[in-house]
């Protein structure tokens, strides 16, 4: 629960960038890549306990994935929202252009996904 709240707090700060808060933007922008690679992606990873539940009871795995109450406290759900906020609000899109941010983080996200897939392919 604490991780969820912490990630939601950072997500709120990223959202403030959208509204042109230059102080928040100046503080966060040097750390956006770290937030993507070291916070969001690790929280979204398919864990051993996910695999165990999938193998034991696929229906329960799917039920838990769509449980709205669980989503309110899930670090994984908070990480997904953070990543969406970074891509939508912190750079690149129409929403970000209002804040004056010209840097897009989507290429960095995609490059990290490509790197993860290449690592998986080589294993």
């Amino acid at each position: 629960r604490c991780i969820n709240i912490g990630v939601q707090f950072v997500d709120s700060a990223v959202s403030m960038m959208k509204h042109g808060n230059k102080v928040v933007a100046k503080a966060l922008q040097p750390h956006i890549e770290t937030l993507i690679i070291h916070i969001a992606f690790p929280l979204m990873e398919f864990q051993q306990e996910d695999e165990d539940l999938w193998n034991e009871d696929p229906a329960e795995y799917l039920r838990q994935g769509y449980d709205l109450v669980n989503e309110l406290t899930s670090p994984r759900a908070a990480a997904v929202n953070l990543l969406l906020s970074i891509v939508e609000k912190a750079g690149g899109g129409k929403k970000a252009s209002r804040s004056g941010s010209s840097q897009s983080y989507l290429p960095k996200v995609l490059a990290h996904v490509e790197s993860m897939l290449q690592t998986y392919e080589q294993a």
Side-chain angles (χ1 to χ4, degrees), residues 73-86:
T73 60
S74 166
R76 181 175 285 162
V80 168
N81 290 334
L82 173 62
L83 191 59
L84 286 171
S85 291
I86 288 170

Side-chain angles (χ1 to χ4, degrees), residues 22-85:
K22 292 180 182 178
V23 173
V24 173
K26 186 177 180 180
L28 269 183
Q29 282 189 338
H31 307 288
I32 294 287
E33 194 168 345
T34 300
L35 291 171
I36 293 168
I37 294 170
H38 298 291
I39 304 292
F41 274 101
L43 288 172
M44 294 186 306
E45 281 182 355
F46 190 75
Q47 302 291 328
Q48 183 62 45
E49 62 189 33
D50 297 325
E51 183 177 356
D52 294 342
L53 182 58
W54 173 257
N55 290 331
E56 292 170 15
D57 190 355
E60 178 61 17
Y61 176 82
L62 292 174
R63 187 198 66 74
Q64 285 185 10
Y66 290 102
D67 184 3
L68 295 177
V69 174
N70 185 37
E71 194 170 305
L72 294 173
T73 60
S74 166
R76 181 175 285 162
V80 168
N81 290 334
L82 173 62
L83 191 59
L84 286 171
S85 291

